[in-house]
């Protein structure tokens, strides 16, 4: 039978198949929507500290691609007080499946309470060095980094000469400093003291102190505090003190873009370059903090920090999310959106890729295998010691004569029983 113009058997069969396929597609979509509406779609809960623009980036670049690929819904909760939220959820018996925290010390504490699940078989250990994915005493790894930052750096406006930077470094009023951060106020001071100790005495001493083995009253630790006190002008100016203690860390750099300029230098992690409008306006550049820290002798030693992913419930969908977040593709997508950095070797842009020189330089330093990378010491300490350390930095700036008492109190807390200290915070200690 020959086909007739306008449609014969062959064309009718094609049209019938097309209609059936379309109906099946609509039916499948309806089933998916019905399952979602009934709450039967597999769901994984995720807690992290990203809110606002950061949360929108996370949903667009990480969560939505995961949901589309694996047909798993992510119930995301973002909170700037995630430690407090997690603590309350754990106490109530309703913790999230997956959490992202900045503190390996806090995570080690949860691992000691049997709240975390080991990541054996879920992530390739060889993709992350020991300072980022630290094996605990039981031999298991319980976290890995999603995003990394470099901390042993000082920012300055483009066009500021080396001589001008050295002069500014000797004047407490030329440092952009803000100690405020809500419930975690004081942590910028801990960053200073940690980095000074690392640059003055090297990774071995730093690691001993961060692991609870070196006394807070040792000459090395005391020197780090007093060096910071001199740089900040501790106890010398009520005006400077009020500005420092009352200013939120995120707003500390605002004076660098004022006219006339209110400050010139900021000792802050790499994230501040994209978080602060002021540093963007003055085209902020950076140099190693060792060049401005008095008495610095270490070479190639860097303090680092990161956003660390951990697993609390080993459901199939939670395991899938862990594998996904540890993959090069997810890490590259997230860090590109945030102008951040991954220490997953395969997640880095190809050599010669486009991007600002300051960004490429920071990424290269984080991946430099010849350098020592030491995790933020206070973040690696047990939570009680970490919090007391942050509070002590505020007290010290206001009352430098309290130093002996503050260090004694920190030593007492360090010796308290039933605390988990990390065996290592540096990937190498030359």
């Amino acid at each position: 039978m020959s086909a007739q113009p306008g449609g014969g058997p062959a064309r009718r069969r094609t049209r019938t198949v097309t209609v059936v396929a379309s109906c099946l597609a609509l039916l499948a979509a309806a089933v998916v929507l019905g399952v979602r509406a009934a709450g039967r779609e597999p769901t994984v809960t995720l807690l992290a500290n990203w809110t606002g623009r950061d949360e929108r980036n996370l949903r667009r670049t990480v969560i939505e691609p995961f949901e589309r690929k694996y047909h798993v819904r992510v119930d995301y909760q973002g909170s700037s007080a995630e430690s407090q939220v997690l603590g309350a959820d754990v106490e109530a018996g309703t913790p999230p499946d997956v959490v992202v925290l900045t503190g390996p010390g806090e995570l080690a504490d949860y691992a000691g309470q049997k709240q975390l699940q080991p990541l054996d078989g879920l992530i390739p250990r060889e993709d992350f060095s020991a300072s980022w994915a630290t094996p605990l005493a039981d031999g298991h790894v319980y976290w890995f980094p999603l995003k990394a930052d470099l901390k042993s750096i000082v920012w300055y406006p483009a066009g500021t000469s080396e001589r001008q930077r050295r002069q500014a470094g000797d004047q407490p009023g030329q440092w952009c400093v803000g100690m405020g951060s809500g419930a975690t106020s004081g942590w910028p001071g801990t960053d200073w003291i940690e980095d000074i100790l690392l640059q003055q005495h090297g990774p071995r001493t730093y690691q001993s102190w961060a692991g609870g083995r070196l006394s807070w009253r040792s000459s090395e630790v005391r020197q780090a505090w007093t060096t910071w006190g001199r740089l900040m002008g501790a106890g010398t100016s009520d005006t400077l003190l009020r500005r420092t203690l009352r200013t939120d860390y995120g707003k500390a750099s605002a004076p660098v873009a004022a006219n006339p300029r209110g400050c010139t230098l900021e000792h802050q992690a790499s994230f501040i370059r994209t978080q602060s409008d002021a540093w963007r306006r003055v085209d902020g550049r950076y140099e190693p903090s060792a060049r401005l820290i008095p008495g610095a002798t270490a070479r190639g030693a860097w303090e680092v920090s990161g956003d660390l992913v951990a697993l609390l419930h080993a459901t199939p969908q939670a395991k899938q999310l862990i594998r996904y977040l540890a993959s090069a593709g997810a890490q590259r997508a997230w860090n590109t959106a945030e102008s951040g950095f991954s220490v997953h070797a395969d997640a880095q842009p190809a050599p010669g890729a486009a991007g600002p020189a300051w960004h490429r330089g920071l990424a290269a330093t984080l991946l430099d295998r010849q350098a020592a990378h030491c995790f933020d010491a206070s973040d690696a300490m047990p939570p009680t010691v970490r919090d007391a350390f942050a509070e002590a930095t505020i007290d010290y700036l206001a009352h430098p004569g309290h130093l002996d008492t503050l260090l004694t109190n920190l030593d007492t807390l360090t010796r308290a029983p039933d605390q988990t200290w990390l065996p290592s915070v540096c990937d190498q200690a030359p």
Side-chain angles (χ1 to χ4, degrees), residues 104-105 194 197-198 202-216 221 303 374-382 385-386 389 414 420-426:
E194 292 157 3
L197 179 70
L198 177 62
R204 291 187 187 279
T205 298
Y206 181 95
Q207 184 152 282
S208 179
W209 170 63
R213 298 183 296 277
L214 178 66
S215 169
W216 290 82
V221 177
E303 184 182 6
C374 296
F375 208 93
D376 181 302
S378 57
D379 284 346
M381 293 173 180
V385 181
R386 174 202 63 196
F389 183 14
T414 297
T420 303
W421 292 85
L422 299 186
S424 173
V425 296
C426 299

Side-chain angles (χ1 to χ4, degrees), residues 19-303:
V19 170
V20 170
S22 299
C23 290
L24 288 174
L26 290 171
L27 178 61
V31 169
V32 169
L33 290 173
V35 168
R36 287 182 176 176
R40 292 195 297 269
E41 184 181 41
T43 299
V44 56
T45 54
L46 171 64
L47 171 65
N49 66 352
W50 295 300
T51 60
R53 182 188 67 85
D54 295 330
E55 179 179 341
R56 292 191 292 273
N57 278 345
L58 182 72
R59 291 185 181 278
R60 176 178 57 83
T61 62
V62 177
I63 291 177
E64 291 173 5
F66 171 80
E67 290 178 323
R68 287 195 298 269
K69 183 173 183 179
Y70 296 104
H71 306 292
V72 172
R73 188 173 72 87
V74 177
D75 183 3
Y76 176 75
Q77 180 180 6
S79 173
S80 58
E82 59 175 337
S83 291
Q84 291 80 2
V85 172
L86 179 61
D89 287 349
V90 168
E91 187 173 345
T94 57
D97 298 322
V98 177
V99 67
V100 184
L101 287 175
T102 58
E106 189 171 355
L107 290 173
D109 197 42
Y110 281 119
Q113 299 171 29
K114 307 300 182 185
Q115 294 287 346
L116 299 188
Q117 301 297 317
L119 302 181
D120 307 331
L122 294 177
I123 67 167
R125 283 198 193 186
E126 61 274 11
D127 286 346
F128 306 103
S129 69
S131 62
W132 296 103
T134 308
L136 296 184
D138 61 6
H140 296 300
V141 168
Y142 291 91
W143 60 80
F144 66 92
L146 179 59
K147 178 177 178 288
D149 281 293
L150 197 64
K151 285 200 165 185
S152 297
I153 51 179
V154 172
W155 294 97
Y156 61 90
T160 307
S161 69
E162 182 177 351
R163 180 170 174 271
Q164 289 172 322
R165 299 198 298 273
R166 300 298 168 268
Q167 290 176 339
D170 291 333
Q171 303 173 48
Q174 286 300 304
W175 287 100
C176 311
V177 184
M179 297 286 281
S181 185
T184 60
S185 292
W187 68 257
T190 68
D191 277 5
W192 259 112
I193 293 166
E194 292 157 3
D195 193 26
I196 291 171
L197 179 70
L198 177 62
Q199 303 307 330
Q200 288 181 336
H201 299 286
R204 291 187 187 279
T205 298
Y206 181 95
Q207 184 152 282
S208 179
W209 170 63
R213 298 183 296 277
L214 178 66
S215 169
W216 290 82
R217 290 173 290 176
S218 67
S219 60
E220 296 92 341
V221 177
R222 179 182 291 275
Q223 182 186 4
W225 282 79
T226 56
T227 299
W228 179 57
R230 288 193 298 273
L231 288 170
M232 296 295 99
T236 62
S237 169
D238 289 341
T239 301
L240 183 62
L241 175 65
R242 285 195 297 271
R243 188 187 78 183
T244 299
L245 296 185
R246 293 177 181 176
T247 300
D248 183 90
Y249 83 93
K251 299 178 180 177
S253 52
V256 80
N259 187 15
R261 181 169 290 155
C263 58
T264 305
L265 307 172
E266 184 171 19
H267 179 273
Q268 188 54 273
S270 50
F271 64 75
I272 205 68
R273 177 60 170 76
T274 51
Q275 188 183 88
S276 168
D277 288 336
W279 284 119
R280 285 195 288 271
R281 289 202 297 273
V282 299
D283 190 15
R285 310 298 173 88
Y286 74 93
E287 65 176 320
S289 60
R291 296 179 184 171
L292 290 164
I293 289 176
T297 59
R299 294 293 180 267
W302 303 88
E303 184 182 6

